[in-house]
Amino acid sequence: MARILIVDDSPSQLLGIKRIVEKLGHEALTAEDGAAGVEAARRERPDLILMDVVMPNLNGFQATRTISKDPDTSHIPVVLVTTKDQETDKVWGLRQGAKAYVTKPIREEELVTTLKELLPA
């Protein structure tokens, strides 16, 4: 069982993703914006982070960059989960340190595949 941090400012999205994560047998931690996500990553050291992009305070690109550049959290894979579906958004997200990019609305099977690829067996 992995510990997965879900960072999203939408309560309904947070709940939907949390259900998928828990259905797979993982522990779900949550944060409601990028700044809280960075703090939770430092404090909790999750096995993986699912990060929204469009959020107040610190957006997902900024939070991902902060997490991937911090020696204490740089080992944690970040998956951007967002409505931003342009190729330029994906390229930019991966340049910020994300390991994968999943677009909303989330297809459960795509998220499951991504988690299996990035979590240690």
Side-chain angles (χ1 to χ4, degrees), residues 20-35:
I20 294 169
V21 165
E22 289 176 342
K23 189 163 92 174
L24 294 171
H26 301 301
E27 180 184 349
L29 311 167
T30 60
E32 280 134 31
D33 64 42

Side-chain angles (χ1 to χ4, degrees), residues 78-97:
V78 178
V79 177
L80 291 171
V81 182
T82 179
T83 56
K84 295 178 77 62
D85 61 357
Q86 299 298 306
E87 188 62 27
T88 52
D89 296 319
K90 182 177 181 179
V91 168
W92 183 248
L94 296 174
R95 286 176 118 179
Q96 304 315 301

Side-chain angles (χ1 to χ4, degrees), residues 2-8 14 17 21 27-31 33-34 36-53 55 60 63-68 70 72-81 97-102 111 114-115 118-119:
R3 296 173 75 233
I4 298 175
L5 173 62
I6 305 161
V7 185
D8 200 311
L14 208 56
I17 297 169
V21 165
E27 180 184 349
L29 311 167
T30 60
D33 64 42
V38 170
E39 287 307 310
R42 288 180 178 143
R43 183 179 65 250
E44 301 290 342
R45 301 283 200 274
D47 298 300
L48 185 135
I49 300 169
L50 297 172
M51 178 81 69
D52 185 23
V53 171
M55 295 183 289
T64 298
R65 184 171 52 241
T66 301
I67 290 165
S68 65
D70 184 329
D72 292 333
T73 55
S74 62
H75 66 284
I76 304 169
V78 178
V79 177
L80 291 171
V81 182
K99 300 296 183 221
Y101 198 96
V102 176
L111 186 60
T114 302
L115 292 176
L118 293 172
L119 287 171

